[in-house]
Amino acid sequence: MPFLATLADELQSSMPYYVCTHVRPDGDAVGSQIAFTRYLNSLKVKAFCILTRDMPLNLQTLIKDTPYIYLEDMKDDAGILIALDCADLTRLPASFKNLTHFLNIDHHPNNPNFAKHNYVQENFSSTCEILITLLREVGWNFDLIAAQALYAGLITDTGNFSHSNVSANTFACAEYLLQCTHLQPYEIIQSLFEQKTLAQIRLLSLFLSRIQLHCNEQIACIELTRDDYVKTNTQHSDTEGFIAHALTIQNVKIAAFIEYNEHFVKGSLRSKAPHLAVNQVARQFGGFGHICAAGFQCDSRTFNRNQLIQALANLIAQ
Ligand SMILES: [Mn+2]
């Protein structure tokens, strides 16, 4: 029986389903939320996307008439939780720890299967790719808004079908969305990637000017501070996708983007090939992630940048 069909009997309409994702959501996270909420609504099940106000503007355009609630506005949290693209419970908003964890659909390695029903597939490029596959299995009639959201997830998690996580199924999923709806890929590209503010471009310029190469020019490291955001009138979420620029440098195998805040340091790590598993290094710093894309957050008092560069250099030397 298709996985989603096995859940059908348990879906109830008395309690709302809160379709959640990880903090600092990306295209895959929000795309999954939108599509799954719409799927549940099509079954006459009361469901809402739970969004946060720090969500990037370009992702907000995908929501359209999908029912949602801002986490900040939630007064009563009695509901049933569905977690999408969430590597573990620590990635969920703290106020949701006490809800019934009904369903967990994800593609992160080491997901501990924290819900009653779990569908975790590491070999999928994105949670959106998993959802398209599962929704096809149950013969769901994809609507345009869901298809656009899912397509957005596919392209953001695969770097426009350029990363090592792309498979034949990834393209088959994209093809299916185009076949069954009037989806126009260029429209999604425009609404996701061509909506930058001048301030964001200035921040990008600053980001590029900070690139430093280490380890025989194989590691690119970029550091931004809170002051940099203040000066450019931008915020953390405005750096989405910046790190990919550092990886385009010849000979660079790994890029590390370090953001310094008052109390903590946030690191993003990317590698060009699956044999450079940057999630191993992220774990050393208390983080997690995919083989080629991982991150961590740690106390700024204990963080040592040279230690990070050394750990990455060790990875290359292996
Ligand atoms: Mn994802």
Side-chain angles (χ1 to χ4, degrees):
M1 201 197 301
F3 174 74
L4 291 179
T6 65
L7 305 178
D9 287 347
E10 286 185 59
L11 293 173
Q12 43 159 303
S13 49
S14 55
M15 288 260 260
Y17 284 79
Y18 295 144
V19 182
C20 300
T21 191
H22 56 79
V23 290
R24 288 190 66 159
D26 54 20
D28 187 34
V30 176
S32 301
Q33 283 182 288
I34 292 171
F36 206 72
T37 300
R38 299 182 78 84
Y39 163 67
L40 291 176
N41 290 165
S42 76
L43 302 176
K44 306 271 178 274
V45 172
K46 196 170 18 160
F48 302 90
C49 298
I50 304 303
L51 306 176
T52 50
R53 289 198 199 274
D54 66 351
M55 175 174 160
L57 276 177
N58 60 348
L59 297 180
Q60 289 181 21
T61 61
L62 296 167
I63 304 165
K64 307 232 168 57
D65 66 350
T66 312
Y68 68 90
I69 306 172
Y70 278 118
L71 180 67
E72 295 89 339
D73 296 341
M74 288 182 76
K75 292 176 189 76
D76 162 27
D77 61 0
I80 300 164
L81 186 113
I82 292 175
L84 303 177
D85 202 41
C86 251
D88 62 39
L89 281 175
T90 65
R91 298 276 283 157
L92 276 173
S95 53
F96 286 171
K97 299 261 150 60
N98 301 326
L99 297 188
T100 308
H101 299 141
F102 177 65
L103 177 61
N104 160 32
I105 300 178
D106 184 35
H107 70 130
H108 289 90
N110 310 113
N111 183 306
N113 293 334
F114 54 81
K116 181 177 180 198
H117 300 282
N118 302 279
Y119 195 91
V120 178
Q121 296 285 335
E122 286 179 37
N123 54 335
F124 279 65
S125 69
S126 49
T127 301
C128 281
E129 184 183 330
I130 298 177
L131 287 183
I132 298 165
T133 309
L134 294 179
L135 290 166
R136 275 183 80 171
E137 271 178 10
V138 289
W140 190 51
N141 194 5
F142 286 69
D143 68 81
L144 180 61
I145 295 166
Q148 287 171 331
L150 290 165
Y151 192 83
L154 281 184
I155 62 175
T156 50
D157 260 26
T158 61
N160 288 324
F161 305 110
S162 71
H163 296 162
S164 57
N165 57 7
V166 173
S167 70
N169 188 58
T170 318
F171 284 110
C173 285
E175 181 192 22
Y176 185 76
L177 295 178
L178 265 70
Q179 273 172 352
C180 67
T181 67
H182 296 294
L183 173 76
Q184 295 282 2
Y186 81 92
E187 288 180 356
I188 313 290
I189 295 281
Q190 281 182 2
S191 71
L192 285 183
F193 304 120
E194 298 171 7
Q195 303 292 333
K196 292 192 174 64
T197 61
L198 186 58
Q200 274 175 291
I201 297 296
R202 300 247 193 269
L203 181 66
L204 174 62
S205 163
L206 187 64
F207 174 94
L208 296 174
S209 75
R210 295 275 172 84
I211 295 176
Q212 290 195 324
L213 300 181
H214 304 270
C215 185
N216 230 348
E217 306 193 341
Q218 296 177 100
I219 297 172
C221 181
I222 305 94
E223 293 169 283
L224 287 181
T225 64
R226 220 167 86 98
D227 254 13
D228 294 324
Y229 292 106
V230 174
K231 264 194 308 210
T232 50
N233 194 21
T234 52
Q235 51 189 349
H236 285 293
S237 60
D238 291 324
T239 61
E240 185 70 45
F242 281 11
I243 194 169
H245 291 283
L247 273 189
T248 63
I249 302 168
Q250 192 180 33
N251 298 331
V252 165
K253 293 183 172 146
I254 294 176
F257 175 26
I258 307 165
E259 296 168 90
Y260 296 90
N261 218 310
E262 221 171 328
H263 303 296
F264 61 88
V265 173
K266 193 187 168 291
S268 302
L269 307 174
R270 298 288 184 276
S271 77
K272 264 182 187 160
H275 69 276
L276 299 168
V278 286
N279 56 357
Q280 286 176 16
V281 174
R283 271 200 286 276
Q284 292 172 33
F285 288 81
F288 61 92
H290 302 287
I291 290 169
C292 294
F296 62 86
Q297 191 167 301
C298 62
D299 196 305
S300 51
R301 289 166 300 187
T302 57
F303 177 72
N304 182 324
R305 176 183 170 281
N306 293 340
Q307 220 174 2
L308 174 67
I309 303 291
Q310 190 54 52
L312 295 172
N314 292 345
L315 200 60
I316 291 172
Q318 263 173 29

